[in-house]
mmCIF file of all heavy atoms in Angstrom:
data_model
loop_
_atom_site.group_PDB
_atom_site.id
_atom_site.type_symbol
_atom_site.label_atom_id
_atom_site.label_comp_id
_atom_site.label_asym_id
_atom_site.label_seq_id
_atom_site.Cartn_x
_atom_site.Cartn_y
_atom_site.Cartn_z
ATOM 1 N N GLN D 1 -39.566 15.700 -67.025
ATOM 2 C CA GLN D 1 -38.579 16.768 -66.845
ATOM 3 C C GLN D 1 -37.852 16.562 -65.527
ATOM 4 O O GLN D 1 -38.464 16.253 -64.504
ATOM 5 C CB GLN D 1 -39.242 18.143 -66.848
ATOM 6 C CG GLN D 1 -38.245 19.296 -66.679
ATOM 7 C CD GLN D 1 -38.905 20.665 -66.692
ATOM 8 O OE1 GLN D 1 -40.123 20.766 -66.552
ATOM 9 N NE2 GLN D 1 -38.113 21.702 -66.860
ATOM 10 N N ILE D 2 -36.541 16.730 -65.561
ATOM 11 C CA ILE D 2 -35.733 16.668 -64.345
ATOM 12 C C ILE D 2 -35.355 18.090 -63.942
ATOM 13 O O ILE D 2 -34.873 18.864 -64.775
ATOM 14 C CB ILE D 2 -34.455 15.839 -64.560
ATOM 15 C CG1 ILE D 2 -34.789 14.457 -65.125
ATOM 16 C CG2 ILE D 2 -33.683 15.698 -63.254
ATOM 17 C CD1 ILE D 2 -33.562 13.673 -65.552
ATOM 18 N N ILE D 3 -35.588 18.418 -62.697
ATOM 19 C CA ILE D 3 -35.215 19.740 -62.172
ATOM 20 C C ILE D 3 -34.038 19.577 -61.217
ATOM 21 O O ILE D 3 -34.086 18.773 -60.275
ATOM 22 C CB ILE D 3 -36.387 20.405 -61.431
ATOM 23 C CG1 ILE D 3 -37.546 20.689 -62.388
ATOM 24 C CG2 ILE D 3 -35.925 21.696 -60.757
ATOM 25 C CD1 ILE D 3 -37.250 21.775 -63.412
ATOM 26 N N ARG D 4 -32.992 20.351 -61.475
ATOM 27 C CA ARG D 4 -31.809 20.330 -60.618
ATOM 28 C C ARG D 4 -31.601 21.707 -59.995
ATOM 29 O O ARG D 4 -32.005 22.729 -60.575
ATOM 30 C CB ARG D 4 -30.569 19.943 -61.431
ATOM 31 C CG ARG D 4 -29.315 19.742 -60.595
ATOM 32 C CD ARG D 4 -28.119 19.404 -61.467
ATOM 33 N NE ARG D 4 -26.936 19.085 -60.665
ATOM 34 C CZ ARG D 4 -25.723 18.878 -61.153
ATOM 35 N NH1 ARG D 4 -25.521 18.960 -62.467
ATOM 36 N NH2 ARG D 4 -24.715 18.591 -60.349
ATOM 37 N N ASN D 5 -30.981 21.747 -58.846
ATOM 38 C CA ASN D 5 -30.654 23.019 -58.196
ATOM 39 C C ASN D 5 -29.997 23.947 -59.219
ATOM 40 O O ASN D 5 -28.994 23.590 -59.833
ATOM 41 C CB ASN D 5 -29.693 22.754 -57.029
ATOM 42 C CG ASN D 5 -29.418 23.993 -56.208
ATOM 43 O OD1 ASN D 5 -29.118 25.060 -56.749
ATOM 44 N ND2 ASN D 5 -29.493 23.865 -54.892
ATOM 45 N N PRO D 6 -30.551 25.152 -59.425
ATOM 46 C CA PRO D 6 -30.017 26.044 -60.467
ATOM 47 C C PRO D 6 -28.563 26.446 -60.263
ATOM 48 O O PRO D 6 -27.859 26.731 -61.232
ATOM 49 C CB PRO D 6 -30.943 27.267 -60.393
ATOM 50 C CG PRO D 6 -31.565 27.203 -59.036
ATOM 51 C CD PRO D 6 -31.699 25.748 -58.727
ATOM 52 N N LEU D 7 -28.093 26.463 -59.027
ATOM 53 C CA LEU D 7 -26.693 26.816 -58.776
ATOM 54 C C LEU D 7 -25.752 25.794 -59.403
ATOM 55 O O LEU D 7 -24.718 26.143 -59.984
ATOM 56 C CB LEU D 7 -26.433 26.934 -57.282
ATOM 57 C CG LEU D 7 -27.179 28.055 -56.546
ATOM 58 C CD1 LEU D 7 -26.869 28.008 -55.055
ATOM 59 C CD2 LEU D 7 -26.806 29.410 -57.127
ATOM 60 N N TYR D 8 -26.119 24.523 -59.303
ATOM 61 C CA TYR D 8 -25.278 23.470 -59.880
ATOM 62 C C TYR D 8 -25.371 23.460 -61.400
ATOM 63 O O TYR D 8 -24.383 23.199 -62.086
ATOM 64 C CB TYR D 8 -25.679 22.111 -59.310
ATOM 65 C CG TYR D 8 -25.392 21.973 -57.835
ATOM 66 C CD1 TYR D 8 -26.423 21.805 -56.922
ATOM 67 C CD2 TYR D 8 -24.088 22.022 -57.350
ATOM 68 C CE1 TYR D 8 -26.166 21.684 -55.559
ATOM 69 C CE2 TYR D 8 -23.820 21.901 -55.992
ATOM 70 C CZ TYR D 8 -24.866 21.734 -55.112
ATOM 71 O OH TYR D 8 -24.595 21.614 -53.763
ATOM 72 N N VAL D 9 -26.558 23.732 -61.931
ATOM 73 C CA VAL D 9 -26.706 23.830 -63.395
ATOM 74 C C VAL D 9 -25.873 24.990 -63.917
ATOM 75 O O VAL D 9 -25.153 24.856 -64.915
ATOM 76 C CB VAL D 9 -28.190 24.011 -63.781
ATOM 77 C CG1 VAL D 9 -28.321 24.271 -65.282
ATOM 78 C CG2 VAL D 9 -29.001 22.777 -63.393
ATOM 79 N N PHE D 10 -25.954 26.128 -63.234
ATOM 80 C CA PHE D 10 -25.187 27.306 -63.631
ATOM 81 C C PHE D 10 -23.693 26.989 -63.646
ATOM 82 O O PHE D 10 -22.987 27.292 -64.617
ATOM 83 C CB PHE D 10 -25.474 28.456 -62.672
ATOM 84 C CG PHE D 10 -24.594 29.661 -62.879
ATOM 85 C CD1 PHE D 10 -24.899 30.605 -63.840
ATOM 86 C CD2 PHE D 10 -23.450 29.841 -62.108
ATOM 87 C CE1 PHE D 10 -24.084 31.715 -64.039
ATOM 88 C CE2 PHE D 10 -22.631 30.936 -62.293
ATOM 89 C CZ PHE D 10 -22.945 31.883 -63.266
ATOM 90 N N ASN D 11 -23.212 26.378 -62.578
ATOM 91 C CA ASN D 11 -21.782 26.073 -62.487
ATOM 92 C C ASN D 11 -21.346 25.132 -63.608
ATOM 93 O O ASN D 11 -20.272 25.305 -64.201
ATOM 94 C CB ASN D 11 -21.480 25.435 -61.128
ATOM 95 C CG ASN D 11 -20.000 25.153 -60.948
ATOM 96 O OD1 ASN D 11 -19.169 26.050 -60.880
ATOM 97 N ND2 ASN D 11 -19.659 23.874 -60.888
ATOM 98 N N SER D 12 -22.181 24.158 -63.907
ATOM 99 C CA SER D 12 -21.841 23.217 -64.977
ATOM 100 C C SER D 12 -21.797 23.916 -66.331
ATOM 101 O O SER D 12 -20.900 23.666 -67.142
ATOM 102 C CB SER D 12 -22.860 22.081 -64.998
ATOM 103 O OG SER D 12 -22.583 21.195 -66.062
ATOM 104 N N LEU D 13 -22.754 24.800 -66.581
ATOM 105 C CA LEU D 13 -22.821 25.464 -67.885
ATOM 106 C C LEU D 13 -21.645 26.401 -68.127
ATOM 107 O O LEU D 13 -21.161 26.518 -69.259
ATOM 108 C CB LEU D 13 -24.135 26.238 -68.004
ATOM 109 C CG LEU D 13 -25.412 25.388 -68.107
ATOM 110 C CD1 LEU D 13 -26.641 26.288 -68.145
ATOM 111 C CD2 LEU D 13 -25.370 24.491 -69.330
ATOM 112 N N VAL D 14 -21.177 27.058 -67.087
ATOM 113 C CA VAL D 14 -20.099 28.036 -67.287
ATOM 114 C C VAL D 14 -18.716 27.404 -67.190
ATOM 115 O O VAL D 14 -17.724 28.029 -67.568
ATOM 116 C CB VAL D 14 -20.210 29.207 -66.286
ATOM 117 C CG1 VAL D 14 -21.516 29.964 -66.484
ATOM 118 C CG2 VAL D 14 -20.076 28.732 -64.850
ATOM 119 N N THR D 15 -18.618 26.178 -66.679
ATOM 120 C CA THR D 15 -17.313 25.522 -66.571
ATOM 121 C C THR D 15 -17.173 24.348 -67.537
ATOM 122 O O THR D 15 -16.144 23.667 -67.531
ATOM 123 C CB THR D 15 -17.078 25.016 -65.128
ATOM 124 O OG1 THR D 15 -18.094 24.074 -64.777
ATOM 125 C CG2 THR D 15 -17.090 26.175 -64.148
ATOM 126 N N HIS D 16 -18.191 24.108 -68.336
ATOM 127 C CA HIS D 16 -18.158 23.009 -69.308
ATOM 128 C C HIS D 16 -17.026 23.222 -70.309
ATOM 129 O O HIS D 16 -16.580 24.348 -70.531
ATOM 130 C CB HIS D 16 -19.505 22.946 -70.042
ATOM 131 C CG HIS D 16 -19.712 21.697 -70.835
ATOM 132 N ND1 HIS D 16 -19.327 21.587 -72.155
ATOM 133 C CD2 HIS D 16 -20.261 20.501 -70.508
ATOM 134 C CE1 HIS D 16 -19.642 20.387 -72.608
ATOM 135 N NE2 HIS D 16 -20.207 19.704 -71.625
ATOM 136 N N ARG D 17 -16.568 22.123 -70.926
ATOM 137 C CA ARG D 17 -15.491 22.261 -71.919
ATOM 138 C C ARG D 17 -15.920 23.125 -73.103
ATOM 139 O O ARG D 17 -15.093 23.719 -73.794
ATOM 140 C CB ARG D 17 -15.035 20.879 -72.405
ATOM 141 C CG ARG D 17 -16.080 20.077 -73.143
ATOM 142 C CD ARG D 17 -15.522 18.732 -73.589
ATOM 143 N NE ARG D 17 -16.475 17.939 -74.334
ATOM 144 C CZ ARG D 17 -17.379 17.152 -73.781
ATOM 145 N NH1 ARG D 17 -17.441 17.041 -72.462
ATOM 146 N NH2 ARG D 17 -18.229 16.458 -74.525
ATOM 147 N N ASN D 18 -17.236 23.189 -73.350
ATOM 148 C CA ASN D 18 -17.799 24.126 -74.325
ATOM 149 C C ASN D 18 -18.781 25.027 -73.579
ATOM 150 O O ASN D 18 -19.996 24.859 -73.675
ATOM 151 C CB ASN D 18 -18.513 23.374 -75.456
ATOM 152 C CG ASN D 18 -17.559 22.549 -76.280
ATOM 153 O OD1 ASN D 18 -16.521 23.037 -76.716
ATOM 154 N ND2 ASN D 18 -17.891 21.281 -76.485
ATOM 155 N N PRO D 19 -18.262 25.975 -72.790
ATOM 156 C CA PRO D 19 -19.124 26.750 -71.891
ATOM 157 C C PRO D 19 -20.129 27.612 -72.639
ATOM 158 O O PRO D 19 -19.898 28.040 -73.769
ATOM 159 C CB PRO D 19 -18.123 27.622 -71.113
ATOM 160 C CG PRO D 19 -16.941 27.742 -72.030
ATOM 161 C CD PRO D 19 -16.861 26.424 -72.749
ATOM 162 N N ILE D 20 -21.263 27.858 -71.986
ATOM 163 C CA ILE D 20 -22.271 28.744 -72.531
ATOM 164 C C ILE D 20 -21.677 30.157 -72.605
ATOM 165 O O ILE D 20 -20.851 30.535 -71.770
ATOM 166 C CB ILE D 20 -23.542 28.692 -71.650
ATOM 167 C CG1 ILE D 20 -24.779 29.091 -72.441
ATOM 168 C CG2 ILE D 20 -23.381 29.532 -70.399
ATOM 169 C CD1 ILE D 20 -26.080 28.636 -71.805
ATOM 170 N N PRO D 21 -22.043 30.947 -73.629
ATOM 171 C CA PRO D 21 -21.342 32.216 -73.882
ATOM 172 C C PRO D 21 -21.341 33.229 -72.750
ATOM 173 O O PRO D 21 -20.408 34.003 -72.618
ATOM 174 C CB PRO D 21 -22.084 32.773 -75.110
ATOM 175 C CG PRO D 21 -22.638 31.574 -75.789
ATOM 176 C CD PRO D 21 -23.000 30.628 -74.695
ATOM 177 N N SER D 22 -22.395 33.272 -71.935
ATOM 178 C CA SER D 22 -22.434 34.291 -70.883
ATOM 179 C C SER D 22 -23.121 33.747 -69.643
ATOM 180 O O SER D 22 -23.917 32.803 -69.708
ATOM 181 C CB SER D 22 -23.183 35.543 -71.364
ATOM 182 O OG SER D 22 -24.579 35.287 -71.444
ATOM 183 N N GLN D 23 -22.815 34.352 -68.505
ATOM 184 C CA GLN D 23 -23.455 33.947 -67.262
ATOM 185 C C GLN D 23 -24.951 34.231 -67.307
ATOM 186 O O GLN D 23 -25.757 33.464 -66.758
ATOM 187 C CB GLN D 23 -22.797 34.671 -66.088
ATOM 188 C CG GLN D 23 -21.359 34.265 -65.838
ATOM 189 C CD GLN D 23 -20.770 34.914 -64.603
ATOM 190 O OE1 GLN D 23 -21.383 35.775 -63.982
ATOM 191 N NE2 GLN D 23 -19.565 34.506 -64.240
ATOM 192 N N TYR D 24 -25.322 35.317 -67.956
ATOM 193 C CA TYR D 24 -26.749 35.643 -68.085
ATOM 194 C C TYR D 24 -27.483 34.516 -68.808
ATOM 195 O O TYR D 24 -28.559 34.082 -68.388
ATOM 196 C CB TYR D 24 -26.928 36.954 -68.854
ATOM 197 C CG TYR D 24 -28.358 37.214 -69.245
ATOM 198 C CD1 TYR D 24 -29.277 37.744 -68.331
ATOM 199 C CD2 TYR D 24 -28.819 36.915 -70.534
ATOM 200 C CE1 TYR D 24 -30.595 37.966 -68.687
ATOM 201 C CE2 TYR D 24 -30.131 37.139 -70.894
ATOM 202 C CZ TYR D 24 -31.011 37.664 -69.972
ATOM 203 O OH TYR D 24 -32.321 37.878 -70.322
ATOM 204 N N MET D 25 -26.909 34.014 -69.895
ATOM 205 C CA MET D 25 -27.548 32.940 -70.651
ATOM 206 C C MET D 25 -27.641 31.663 -69.825
ATOM 207 O O MET D 25 -28.608 30.907 -69.927
ATOM 208 C CB MET D 25 -26.793 32.680 -71.956
ATOM 209 C CG MET D 25 -26.934 33.777 -72.987
ATOM 210 S SD MET D 25 -26.051 33.394 -74.514
ATOM 211 C CE MET D 25 -26.933 31.916 -75.054
ATOM 212 N N ALA D 26 -26.635 31.425 -68.996
ATOM 213 C CA ALA D 26 -26.659 30.233 -68.144
ATOM 214 C C ALA D 26 -27.818 30.298 -67.154
ATOM 215 O O ALA D 26 -28.537 29.318 -66.949
ATOM 216 C CB ALA D 26 -25.331 30.094 -67.405
ATOM 217 N N VAL D 27 -27.993 31.464 -66.531
ATOM 218 C CA VAL D 27 -29.100 31.641 -65.590
ATOM 219 C C VAL D 27 -30.438 31.561 -66.321
ATOM 220 O O VAL D 27 -31.378 30.876 -65.883
ATOM 221 C CB VAL D 27 -28.977 32.988 -64.847
ATOM 222 C CG1 VAL D 27 -30.226 33.248 -64.005
ATOM 223 C CG2 VAL D 27 -27.729 33.005 -63.982
ATOM 224 N N ALA D 28 -30.534 32.252 -67.463
ATOM 225 C CA ALA D 28 -31.789 32.289 -68.214
ATOM 226 C C ALA D 28 -32.188 30.905 -68.701
ATOM 227 O O ALA D 28 -33.378 30.575 -68.734
ATOM 228 C CB ALA D 28 -31.661 33.250 -69.391
ATOM 229 N N THR D 29 -31.208 30.090 -69.067
ATOM 230 C CA THR D 29 -31.508 28.740 -69.547
ATOM 231 C C THR D 29 -32.289 27.959 -68.505
ATOM 232 O O THR D 29 -33.313 27.331 -68.807
ATOM 233 C CB THR D 29 -30.210 27.990 -69.901
ATOM 234 O OG1 THR D 29 -29.577 28.647 -71.010
ATOM 235 C CG2 THR D 29 -30.491 26.548 -70.276
ATOM 236 N N TRP D 30 -31.806 27.979 -67.263
ATOM 237 C CA TRP D 30 -32.506 27.233 -66.213
ATOM 238 C C TRP D 30 -33.901 27.799 -65.977
ATOM 239 O O TRP D 30 -34.877 27.046 -65.877
ATOM 240 C CB TRP D 30 -31.709 27.261 -64.914
ATOM 241 C CG TRP D 30 -32.333 26.394 -63.853
ATOM 242 C CD1 TRP D 30 -32.063 25.075 -63.606
ATOM 243 C CD2 TRP D 30 -33.354 26.779 -62.913
ATOM 244 N NE1 TRP D 30 -32.847 24.614 -62.571
ATOM 245 C CE2 TRP D 30 -33.655 25.631 -62.131
ATOM 246 C CE3 TRP D 30 -34.033 27.969 -62.664
ATOM 247 C CZ2 TRP D 30 -34.609 25.656 -61.115
ATOM 248 C CZ3 TRP D 30 -34.996 27.993 -61.656
ATOM 249 C CH2 TRP D 30 -35.269 26.857 -60.894
ATOM 250 N N TYR D 31 -34.019 29.126 -65.880
ATOM 251 C CA TYR D 31 -35.312 29.729 -65.585
ATOM 252 C C TYR D 31 -36.331 29.458 -66.682
ATOM 253 O O TYR D 31 -37.500 29.154 -66.412
ATOM 254 C CB TYR D 31 -35.168 31.245 -65.356
ATOM 255 C CG TYR D 31 -34.845 31.592 -63.929
ATOM 256 C CD1 TYR D 31 -33.565 31.983 -63.561
ATOM 257 C CD2 TYR D 31 -35.808 31.506 -62.925
ATOM 258 C CE1 TYR D 31 -33.252 32.288 -62.238
ATOM 259 C CE2 TYR D 31 -35.515 31.810 -61.606
ATOM 260 C CZ TYR D 31 -34.226 32.204 -61.270
ATOM 261 O OH TYR D 31 -33.934 32.499 -59.963
ATOM 262 N N ILE D 32 -35.912 29.561 -67.923
ATOM 263 C CA ILE D 32 -36.838 29.305 -69.036
ATOM 264 C C ILE D 32 -37.296 27.853 -69.033
ATOM 265 O O ILE D 32 -38.484 27.554 -69.173
ATOM 266 C CB ILE D 32 -36.171 29.675 -70.378
ATOM 267 C CG1 ILE D 32 -35.978 31.187 -70.471
ATOM 268 C CG2 ILE D 32 -37.007 29.172 -71.556
ATOM 269 C CD1 ILE D 32 -35.131 31.618 -71.649
ATOM 270 N N ASP D 33 -36.340 26.941 -68.870
ATOM 271 C CA ASP D 33 -36.686 25.526 -68.865
ATOM 272 C C ASP D 33 -37.619 25.184 -67.707
ATOM 273 O O ASP D 33 -38.584 24.428 -67.863
ATOM 274 C CB ASP D 33 -35.425 24.670 -68.785
ATOM 275 C CG ASP D 33 -34.533 24.837 -70.010
ATOM 276 O OD1 ASP D 33 -34.996 25.437 -70.994
ATOM 277 O OD2 ASP D 33 -33.375 24.376 -69.966
ATOM 278 N N ALA D 34 -37.334 25.733 -66.534
ATOM 279 C CA ALA D 34 -38.177 25.474 -65.370
ATOM 280 C C ALA D 34 -39.571 26.061 -65.553
ATOM 281 O O ALA D 34 -40.575 25.456 -65.161
ATOM 282 C CB ALA D 34 -37.519 26.049 -64.110
ATOM 283 N N ALA D 35 -39.641 27.234 -66.178
ATOM 284 C CA ALA D 35 -40.933 27.888 -66.394
ATOM 285 C C ALA D 35 -41.818 27.083 -67.334
ATOM 286 O O ALA D 35 -43.037 27.004 -67.142
ATOM 287 C CB ALA D 35 -40.725 29.294 -66.941
ATOM 288 N N ILE D 36 -41.214 26.476 -68.345
ATOM 289 C CA ILE D 36 -41.992 25.639 -69.261
ATOM 290 C C ILE D 36 -42.610 24.471 -68.500
ATOM 291 O O ILE D 36 -43.792 24.153 -68.662
ATOM 292 C CB ILE D 36 -41.103 25.125 -70.407
ATOM 293 C CG1 ILE D 36 -40.654 26.287 -71.292
ATOM 294 C CG2 ILE D 36 -41.852 24.088 -71.249
ATOM 295 C CD1 ILE D 36 -39.616 25.900 -72.325
ATOM 296 N N GLY D 37 -41.791 23.836 -67.667
ATOM 297 C CA GLY D 37 -42.312 22.737 -66.873
ATOM 298 C C GLY D 37 -43.415 23.181 -65.921
ATOM 299 O O GLY D 37 -44.430 22.495 -65.755
ATOM 300 N N TYR D 38 -43.228 24.342 -65.306
ATOM 301 C CA TYR D 38 -44.236 24.839 -64.361
ATOM 302 C C TYR D 38 -45.574 25.057 -65.054
ATOM 303 O O TYR D 38 -46.634 24.805 -64.475
ATOM 304 C CB TYR D 38 -43.765 26.143 -63.720
ATOM 305 C CG TYR D 38 -44.673 26.632 -62.621
ATOM 306 C CD1 TYR D 38 -44.617 26.066 -61.340
ATOM 307 C CD2 TYR D 38 -45.602 27.643 -62.855
ATOM 308 C CE1 TYR D 38 -45.459 26.501 -60.326
ATOM 309 C CE2 TYR D 38 -46.453 28.078 -61.848
ATOM 310 C CZ TYR D 38 -46.376 27.510 -60.588
ATOM 311 O OH TYR D 38 -47.217 27.939 -59.600
ATOM 312 N N SER D 39 -45.533 25.490 -66.305
ATOM 313 C CA SER D 39 -46.779 25.720 -67.047
ATOM 314 C C SER D 39 -47.531 24.419 -67.322
ATOM 315 O O SER D 39 -48.722 24.440 -67.632
ATOM 316 C CB SER D 39 -46.475 26.432 -68.378
ATOM 317 O OG SER D 39 -45.815 25.564 -69.285
ATOM 318 N N LEU D 40 -46.835 23.279 -67.214
ATOM 319 C CA LEU D 40 -47.447 21.979 -67.478
ATOM 320 C C LEU D 40 -47.681 21.170 -66.211
ATOM 321 O O LEU D 40 -48.060 20.003 -66.287
ATOM 322 C CB LEU D 40 -46.542 21.169 -68.421
ATOM 323 C CG LEU D 40 -46.350 21.736 -69.820
ATOM 324 C CD1 LEU D 40 -45.217 20.986 -70.530
ATOM 325 C CD2 LEU D 40 -47.635 21.635 -70.634
ATOM 326 N N LYS D 41 -47.474 21.769 -65.054
ATOM 327 C CA LYS D 41 -47.459 21.026 -63.791
ATOM 328 C C LYS D 41 -48.770 20.294 -63.521
ATOM 329 O O LYS D 41 -48.767 19.279 -62.800
ATOM 330 C CB LYS D 41 -47.133 21.960 -62.631
ATOM 331 C CG LYS D 41 -48.145 23.047 -62.359
ATOM 332 C CD LYS D 41 -47.687 23.953 -61.222
ATOM 333 C CE LYS D 41 -48.658 25.100 -60.988
ATOM 334 N NZ LYS D 41 -49.987 24.622 -60.516
ATOM 335 N N ASP D 42 -49.885 20.749 -64.078
ATOM 336 C CA ASP D 42 -51.175 20.107 -63.832
ATOM 337 C C ASP D 42 -51.572 19.137 -64.941
ATOM 338 O O ASP D 42 -52.658 18.556 -64.895
ATOM 339 C CB ASP D 42 -52.272 21.173 -63.667
ATOM 340 C CG ASP D 42 -52.047 22.052 -62.443
ATOM 341 O OD1 ASP D 42 -51.580 21.508 -61.418
ATOM 342 O OD2 ASP D 42 -52.325 23.261 -62.518
ATOM 343 N N HIS D 43 -50.694 18.983 -65.931
ATOM 344 C CA HIS D 43 -50.996 18.058 -67.027
ATOM 345 C C HIS D 43 -50.855 16.620 -66.533
ATOM 346 O O HIS D 43 -49.874 16.265 -65.869
ATOM 347 C CB HIS D 43 -50.059 18.312 -68.208
ATOM 348 C CG HIS D 43 -50.533 17.717 -69.489
ATOM 349 N ND1 HIS D 43 -50.564 16.353 -69.706
ATOM 350 C CD2 HIS D 43 -51.013 18.299 -70.632
ATOM 351 C CE1 HIS D 43 -51.018 16.114 -70.919
ATOM 352 N NE2 HIS D 43 -51.313 17.270 -71.498
ATOM 353 N N ALA D 44 -51.806 15.784 -66.885
ATOM 354 C CA ALA D 44 -51.841 14.410 -66.372
ATOM 355 C C ALA D 44 -50.661 13.570 -66.846
ATOM 356 O O ALA D 44 -50.289 12.598 -66.181
ATOM 357 C CB ALA D 44 -53.149 13.737 -66.782
ATOM 358 N N ARG D 45 -50.058 13.946 -67.984
ATOM 359 C CA ARG D 45 -48.969 13.127 -68.532
ATOM 360 C C ARG D 45 -47.615 13.840 -68.477
ATOM 361 O O ARG D 45 -46.677 13.448 -69.149
ATOM 362 C CB ARG D 45 -49.303 12.698 -69.962
ATOM 363 C CG ARG D 45 -50.449 11.689 -70.007
ATOM 364 C CD ARG D 45 -50.806 11.253 -71.423
ATOM 365 N NE ARG D 45 -51.526 12.298 -72.132
ATOM 366 C CZ ARG D 45 -51.037 13.010 -73.135
ATOM 367 N NH1 ARG D 45 -49.806 12.787 -73.571
ATOM 368 N NH2 ARG D 45 -51.770 13.938 -73.717
ATOM 369 N N TYR D 46 -47.542 14.867 -67.675
ATOM 370 C CA TYR D 46 -46.263 15.543 -67.415
ATOM 371 C C TYR D 46 -45.762 15.097 -66.045
ATOM 372 O O TYR D 46 -46.504 15.113 -65.054
ATOM 373 C CB TYR D 46 -46.436 17.061 -67.441
ATOM 374 C CG TYR D 46 -45.264 17.817 -66.849
ATOM 375 C CD1 TYR D 46 -44.113 18.038 -67.594
ATOM 376 C CD2 TYR D 46 -45.312 18.289 -65.535
ATOM 377 C CE1 TYR D 46 -43.033 18.727 -67.044
ATOM 378 C CE2 TYR D 46 -44.240 18.980 -64.984
ATOM 379 C CZ TYR D 46 -43.105 19.188 -65.737
ATOM 380 O OH TYR D 46 -42.041 19.866 -65.194
#
């Protein structure tokens, strides 16, 4: 998993040629994805 600064991910999602429908969804996307990775942080193959 690659983690990027959420501010830059947010900006990319809302300014993309096919932007994400809402700013809330853009923020939630990063947090959900990061949370999944955090739950696996101690896994030997993550």
Side-chain angles (χ1 to χ4, degrees):
Q1 181 180 15
I2 307 171
I3 296 291
R4 187 182 185 187
N5 186 312
L7 296 177
Y8 294 116
V9 174
F10 172 83
N11 183 66
S12 177
L13 291 177
V14 298
T15 60
H16 193 270
R17 64 180 182 275
N18 295 311
I20 204 161
S22 73
Q23 293 185 353
Y24 169 81
M25 289 181 63
V27 173
T29 295
W30 185 91
Y31 273 105
I32 292 171
D33 296 349
I36 293 172
Y38 187 79
S39 71
L40 296 169
K41 64 182 177 65
D42 296 323
H43 197 291
R45 291 180 286 110
Y46 166 80

